Amino acid sequence: MDAMSTAPKIWTRETGLVEKRDVWSAMKRGFRGRCPRCGQGKLFRAFLKTADNCTACGLDFTPHRADDLPAYLVIVIVGHIVVPTILWIETNYSTPVWLTFAAYLPFTFFASLGLLQPVKGAVVGLQWALRMHGFDDNPPDGIPPV
């Protein structure tokens, strides 16, 4: 077994001073596809590929770990819009099947595609604001970069 270090941490004024990170503004900036720190540089270099770093402030975006969370959130958001609408229309009106498929499927598809990048940006902004996955100023030792 490895011996754990029992040396006490010494807290000073400098160790307590960290950059203030507002969660809501970081998520709004990410939702708009901008850097969560400064709001100026682009967050994405392609549709769902994040840039390596911010062109304005130099923030490194490589430690983000959005994974599948944006897709799950988009499913929940679009599902909560589409399903009640379909239920309301189908219970009050008798629409033909071809019209049903011609209206609901494209709307669901384009709404999902339209929300996927903004939701991923908001998730990256949330991770930066909460200092998750390597966005911390002092990452712990012994954890390799992703």
Side-chain angles (χ1 to χ4, degrees):
M1 280 178 42
D2 294 328
M4 294 185 64
S5 173
T6 58
K9 288 189 175 187
I10 300 173
W11 294 98
T12 63
R13 173 171 279 190
E14 289 76 28
T15 59
L17 295 176
V18 293
E19 174 186 16
K20 299 274 185 192
R21 297 181 181 181
D22 183 34
V23 174
W24 294 112
S25 63
M27 288 179 66
K28 283 190 279 188
R29 291 172 181 162
F31 189 83
R32 291 191 322 256
R34 298 291 174 195
C35 171
R37 180 194 288 165
C38 67
Q40 301 298 319
K42 289 186 177 183
L43 182 59
F44 296 100
R45 62 180 160 92
F47 180 63
L48 289 177
K49 296 283 186 185
T50 57
D52 291 333
N53 54 23
C54 176
T55 57
C57 68
L59 176 66
D60 183 20
F61 298 135
T62 55
H64 90 85
R65 301 284 298 175
D67 296 335
D68 292 334
L69 180 62
Y72 292 129
L73 293 176
V74 167
I75 290 170
V76 169
I77 293 167
V78 172
H80 276 81
I81 295 169
V82 170
V83 171
T85 304
I86 291 173
L87 289 174
W88 179 75
I89 291 173
E90 293 298 323
T91 56
N92 292 328
Y93 306 102
S94 179
T95 58
V97 174
W98 69 269
L99 182 62
T100 300
F101 286 125
Y104 302 147
L105 291 178
F107 175 77
T108 304
F109 178 73
F110 288 114
S112 298
L113 278 181
L115 279 176
L116 198 53
Q117 186 183 37
V119 169
K120 182 173 181 174
V123 168
V124 172
L126 177 72
Q127 290 177 350
W128 175 80
L130 296 179
R131 302 174 195 282
M132 298 169 62
H133 305 297
F135 282 123
D136 191 6
D137 297 329
N138 301 313
D141 295 333
I143 297 177
V146 182

